[in-house]
């Protein structure tokens, strides 16, 4: 059987991605390992625990602590540079597929997923193997004159021989990669024996897998191959939910075109020297717009699998938006967005300090989405970032605090941590060993209840939320909800939220607290084990509506009086007419 690889020119549109296939789920097992100390449960078998131990070792430094974000990004980028993305045929034998690719070098990891077709991410041990594979690739032989001869590491597998179906075909190796439907999640949570277990189970079901994270870095690497034609040595890095540890399966891929690492920024020396000739723009914003305009045009014209390209250059933060069909990701590419990168690094650090941070953030986000508090459509809703900052602020307010304030992290910073971006102080410590946490052993159940109680009684009309200070501050401006940007302190990250949305949030906090208090009488493992309870009951819109209806009944007499008054006024008006 002869196999030929050719460049992918066009792909059908789809944004539904299915679960990636690989032995072990790194980030899942990592979370299971951490929660064991909190819940005192033996969740995984010895074999799975051993796999988790290996993955955890891979993601920690030599001292046994977590990597800093720059180190983690560099490691993931190197993995992506040694990887290729291949559109496969369904009727392809896995063994022969691997044998063919192994003829170009040793394969370190590979996995399959589905996105309107079967795809494989293949990571080699070294880059030379990727070069060898690309040398063996060819352009499509049909209508080659009408195709743009653009070479990339996004390839298609071709088979000129007969299909071999003696072993499992590739489609049988794929597993869903989207989050489980909310009804299925509620059923799963209802079978757990404690709210602590429900919170950890929800996080495990929703968080990004190791494979999905690898795919995100590979998409960034493929885009970088386009950008380096204009800016050699540049990099494209993911930021936001894709890397800060709070990403949900199916979340957008935010990317940052980083030009700061390009060499040539030297101080002038005495005597003769050379400088590059360059064009100048009126402002740094104009430079960013020009760069994104050119890159966006190239992505639109030459980027395989990139469709629906929009150049949104007049936004506060200019960006290029497009869909990457082979991965199923909705992508936003920005440049000169270094403050957002530091915000990503800060959230990553907080998530690594204590596992309860991630568990609580995932739970609150899922709860908010189930009730329409957040939305993927721009509007007056509370954003995921705002919700995350609210969770962090709440954890800083515990007694003793679970996580330190940003000002404390700044005080612990060393000379290498110094960072000022556009006159904003973005300095905080990156060495985890310098951060000493206070002893707080509160359970996830207690924290979840206290979160709802804390914000149900918070003085939103007078106070602002600040994780830099870790305490309430007087509002500097008139806005229903004021959450201070951690670095650009003059900005309110929740300025878009209107009073109606904030009131809905407050009502749901009160209702959710009431529901949790009612569920305290449930006996785990009883006859109604599958009946929604605890966290599962919070995700049921009907339950929340039921609480609201009870409140409405209390106000019914007043409503009837107003209704009678209106009817009386209407009748009097008719008589006068």
């Amino acid at each position: 059987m002869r196999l030929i690889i050719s460049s992918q020119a066009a792909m059908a549109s789809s944004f539904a991605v299915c679960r990636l296939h690989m032995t072990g789920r790194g980030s899942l097992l990592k979370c299971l390992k951490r929660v064991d100390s909190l819940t005192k449960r033996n969740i995984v078998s010895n074999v799975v625990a051993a796999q988790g131990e290996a993955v955890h070792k891979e993601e920690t430094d030599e001292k046994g602590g977590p990597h800093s974000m720059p180190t983690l990004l560099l490691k993931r980028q190197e993995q992506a540079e040694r990887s290729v993305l291949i559109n496969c045929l369904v009727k392809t034998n896995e063994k022969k597929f691997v044998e063919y690719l192994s003829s170009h070098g040793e394969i370190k990891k590979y996995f399959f997923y589905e996105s309107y077709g079967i795809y494989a991410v293949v990571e080699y041990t070294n880059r030379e193997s990727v070069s060898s594979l690309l040398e063996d690739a060819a352009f499509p032989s049909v209508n080659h004159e009408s195709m743009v001869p653009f070479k990339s590491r996004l390839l298609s597998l071709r088979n000129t021989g007969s299909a071999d179906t003696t072993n499992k075909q590739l489609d049988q190796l794929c597993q869903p990669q989207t989050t489980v439907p909310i009804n299925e999640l509620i059923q799963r949570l209802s079978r757990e024996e404690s709210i602590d277990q429900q919170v950890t189970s929800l996080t495990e079901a929703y968080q990004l897998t190791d494979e999905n994270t690898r795919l995100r870095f590979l998409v960034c690497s493929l885009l970088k191959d386009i950008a380096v034609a204009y800016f050699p040595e540049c990099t494209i890095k993911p930021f936001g939910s894709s890397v800060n540890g709070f990403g949900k399966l199916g979340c957008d891929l935010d990317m940052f075109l980083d030009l700061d690492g390009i060499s040539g920024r030297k101080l002038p020396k005495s005597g003769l020297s050379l400088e590059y000739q360059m064009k100048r723009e009126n402002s740094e914003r104009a430079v960013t717009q020009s760069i994104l305009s050119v890159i966006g045009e190239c992505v639109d014209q030459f980027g395989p699998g990139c469709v629906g390209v929009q150049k949104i250059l007049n936004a506060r933060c200019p960006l290029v938006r497009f869909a990457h069909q082979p991965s199923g990701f909705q992508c936003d590419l920005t440049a000169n967005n270094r403050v957002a990168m530091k915000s990503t690094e800060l959230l990553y650090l907080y998530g690594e300090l204590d596992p309860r941070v991630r568990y609580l953030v995932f739970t609150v986000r899922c709860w908010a989405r189930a009730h329409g508090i957040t939305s993927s459509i721009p509007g007056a809703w509370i954003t995921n970032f705002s919700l995350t900052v609210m969770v962090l602020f709440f954890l800083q307010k515990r007694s003793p605090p679970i996580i330190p304030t940003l000002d404390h992290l700044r005080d612990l910073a060393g000379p290498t941590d110094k960072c000022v971006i556009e006159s904003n102080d973005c300095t905080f410590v990156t060495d985890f060993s310098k951060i000493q946490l206070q002893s707080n052993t509160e359970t996830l159940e207690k924290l979840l209840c206290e979160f709802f109680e804390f914000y149900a009684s918070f003085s939103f009309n007078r106070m602002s939320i600040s994780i830099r200070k870790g305490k309430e501050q007087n509002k500097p401006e008139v806005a229903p909800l004021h959450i201070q940007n951690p670095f650009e302190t003059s900005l309110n990250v929740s300025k878009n939220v209107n009073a109606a949305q904030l009131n809905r949030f407050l009502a749901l906090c009160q209702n959710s607290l009431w529901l949790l208090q009612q569920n305290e009488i449930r006996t785990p493992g009883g006859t109604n084990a599958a009946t929604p309870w605890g966290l599962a009951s919070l995700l049921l819109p009907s339950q929340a509506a039921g609480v609201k209806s009870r409140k409405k009944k209390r106000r019914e007499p007043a409503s009837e009086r107003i209704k009678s008054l209106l009817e009386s006024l209407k009748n009097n008006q008719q008589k006068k007419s």
Side-chain angles (χ1 to χ4, degrees):
M1 177 176 63
R2 184 186 174 198
L3 296 171
I4 301 175
I5 293 183
S6 62
S7 296
Q8 179 91 355
M11 302 172 188
S13 175
S14 172
F15 305 116
V17 182
C18 296
R19 187 168 301 279
L20 307 170
H21 172 77
M22 182 188 267
T23 304
R25 294 178 60 186
S27 54
L28 165 60
L29 297 177
K30 181 179 177 184
C31 284
L32 291 177
K33 182 174 181 292
R34 288 178 174 176
V35 77
D36 185 66
S37 61
L38 291 173
T39 62
K40 308 235 182 325
R41 295 178 67 209
N42 183 16
I43 301 177
V44 292
S45 65
N46 291 335
V47 174
V48 177
Q51 293 173 342
E53 183 76 22
V55 173
H56 182 70
K57 185 177 179 182
E58 236 182 58
E59 295 185 352
T60 56
D61 59 24
E62 295 177 356
K63 299 178 183 178
H67 282 309
S68 65
M69 172 154 282
T71 303
L72 181 63
L73 286 177
L74 182 60
K75 176 190 169 186
R76 289 292 192 182
Q77 287 165 356
E78 289 175 345
Q79 289 175 344
E81 293 296 320
R82 300 193 306 269
S83 303
V84 293
L85 181 58
I86 301 175
N87 183 207
C88 305
L89 300 169
V90 175
K91 295 184 177 180
T92 300
N93 181 278
E94 180 191 11
K95 182 180 178 181
K96 291 188 177 181
F97 172 78
V98 175
E99 285 178 353
Y100 171 70
L101 294 178
S102 297
S103 65
H104 294 278
E106 181 183 355
I107 296 176
K108 189 171 183 179
K109 290 183 184 290
Y110 72 92
F111 59 88
F112 301 96
Y113 70 93
E114 186 175 356
S115 175
Y116 214 90
I118 309 300
Y119 286 86
V121 173
V122 181
E123 179 194 343
Y124 283 99
T125 305
N126 54 66
R127 296 189 186 186
E128 288 74 22
S129 300
V130 175
S131 299
S132 173
L133 182 70
L134 295 179
E135 287 177 5
D136 195 42
F139 290 116
S141 58
V142 181
N143 295 329
H144 63 89
E145 287 144 0
S146 62
M147 298 232 178
V148 178
F150 180 78
K151 294 183 177 182
S152 77
R153 284 176 289 135
L154 173 55
L155 307 159
S156 293
L157 185 69
R158 293 290 177 259
N159 180 10
T160 56
S162 57
D164 185 353
T165 58
T166 55
N167 291 323
K168 283 187 177 181
Q169 297 179 16
L170 301 187
D171 61 334
Q172 297 172 298
L173 301 173
C174 295
Q175 298 178 9
Q177 181 56 20
T178 52
T179 55
V180 296
I182 189 67
N183 291 337
E184 183 180 331
L185 177 66
I186 290 172
Q187 292 176 7
R188 180 186 302 184
L189 299 183
S190 300
R191 292 190 290 269
E192 298 291 351
E193 297 183 353
S194 70
I195 291 180
D196 278 50
Q197 293 171 15
Q198 289 181 329
V199 172
T200 56
S201 181
L202 181 148
T203 303
E204 291 157 12
Y206 269 43
Q207 67 187 350
L208 295 180
T209 60
D210 175 70
E211 298 88 346
N212 192 271
T213 300
R214 287 173 179 268
L215 182 58
R216 289 170 184 272
F217 275 85
L218 179 52
V219 172
C220 290
S221 184
L222 295 176
L223 266 291
K224 189 207 75 170
D225 291 344
I226 296 176
V228 293
Y230 295 91
F231 307 103
E233 305 173 47
C234 76
T235 57
I236 292 183
K237 304 173 183 177
F239 71 95
S241 295
S242 294
V243 287
N244 64 17
F246 302 111
K248 170 187 168 184
L249 284 171
C251 68
D252 293 351
L253 174 56
D254 295 316
M255 298 179 287
F256 169 64
L257 175 62
D258 189 359
L259 306 178
D260 289 346
I262 297 176
S263 60
R265 293 178 171 85
K266 304 174 183 178
L267 293 174
K269 54 186 178 180
S270 59
L272 296 175
S273 64
L274 293 173
E275 291 182 342
Y276 292 103
Q277 290 195 16
M278 303 170 66
K279 282 194 171 183
R280 294 183 181 274
E281 290 281 3
N282 295 327
S283 64
E284 189 174 6
R285 176 179 173 84
V287 172
T288 300
Q289 290 173 323
S290 297
I291 292 172
L292 289 178
S293 178
V294 172
I295 299 300
E297 191 66 25
C298 291
V299 169
D300 191 17
Q301 298 296 327
F302 309 131
C306 300
V307 300
V309 178
Q310 304 175 61
K311 294 185 285 186
I312 309 173
L313 304 179
N314 292 321
R316 178 178 176 272
C317 180
L319 60 92
V320 174
R321 177 168 293 166
F322 60 95
H324 187 259
Q325 292 178 335
S327 65
F329 297 142
Q330 186 71 32
C331 304
D332 284 349
L333 175 64
T334 62
N336 190 28
N337 196 14
R338 294 184 290 276
V339 173
M341 288 295 295
K342 291 302 291 185
S343 296
T344 299
E345 187 176 353
L346 178 65
L347 296 189
Y348 168 80
L349 182 143
Y350 276 130
E352 289 290 324
L353 288 178
D354 190 300
R356 291 172 293 178
V357 177
R358 284 201 178 109
Y359 294 139
L360 198 58
V361 167
F362 268 100
T363 301
V364 171
R365 281 188 176 186
C366 182
W367 164 83
R369 192 60 177 268
H371 295 289
I373 296 296
T374 59
S375 175
S376 58
I377 303 171
W381 296 276
I382 300 175
T383 65
N384 278 331
F385 181 73
S386 294
L387 273 179
T388 302
V389 174
M390 292 174 79
V391 172
L392 296 178
F393 180 73
F394 162 74
L395 295 176
Q396 290 174 340
K397 295 285 290 181
R398 304 310 296 155
S399 181
I402 294 178
I403 55 174
T405 66
L406 178 52
D407 278 352
H408 181 66
L409 295 178
R410 180 198 59 196
D411 295 339
L412 295 175
T416 57
D417 296 320
K418 180 75 173 175
C419 179
V420 177
I421 301 174
E422 298 173 1
S423 73
N424 297 302
D425 185 5
C426 301
T427 302
F428 58 88
V429 65
T430 57
D431 185 350
F432 286 90
S433 65
K434 293 182 179 179
I435 306 173
Q436 301 299 318
L437 300 178
Q438 298 188 48
S439 178
N440 181 305
T441 58
E442 291 178 302
T443 64
L444 292 169
E445 177 178 357
K446 180 176 177 59
L447 289 174
L448 185 60
C449 290
E450 294 286 339
F451 172 85
F452 292 130
E453 185 173 0
F454 179 81
Y455 282 111
S457 58
F458 189 84
S459 299
F460 287 105
N461 59 326
R462 297 185 299 107
M463 295 300 178
S464 170
I465 293 169
S466 170
I467 61 171
R468 178 168 282 280
K469 301 293 183 184
K471 60 182 180 181
E472 298 90 340
Q473 300 181 110
N474 291 324
K475 276 186 181 181
E477 63 181 43
V478 178
L481 176 60
H482 191 282
I483 302 175
Q484 185 188 59
N485 187 301
F487 298 121
E488 299 176 278
T489 55
S490 62
L491 299 181
N492 174 14
V493 300
S494 57
K495 193 171 185 176
N496 62 300
V497 180
N498 60 28
Q501 290 300 318
L502 178 59
N503 289 334
R504 288 192 66 243
F505 173 77
L506 289 172
L508 280 167
C509 283
Q510 295 167 353
N511 296 343
S512 298
L513 177 62
W514 184 87
L515 285 170
L516 287 178
Q517 291 170 343
Q518 304 310 303
N519 278 296
E520 289 178 355
I521 61 175
R522 180 190 183 277
T523 302
T527 55
N528 294 325
T531 302
W533 71 279
L535 175 57
S537 65
L538 302 190
L539 304 181
L540 288 170
S542 59
Q543 289 281 31
V547 175
K548 290 178 183 178
S549 65
R550 282 190 289 274
K551 289 188 176 183
K552 286 179 180 178
K553 287 179 181 179
R554 297 191 192 104
R555 295 193 300 266
E556 192 170 332
S559 300
E560 289 297 323
R561 285 197 299 270
I562 294 172
K563 184 178 179 182
S564 300
L565 178 61
L566 291 174
E567 287 292 333
S568 176
L569 292 172
K570 182 179 178 181
N571 292 334
N572 289 337
Q573 186 66 29
Q574 289 176 346
K575 289 178 180 179
K576 290 180 180 180
S577 300

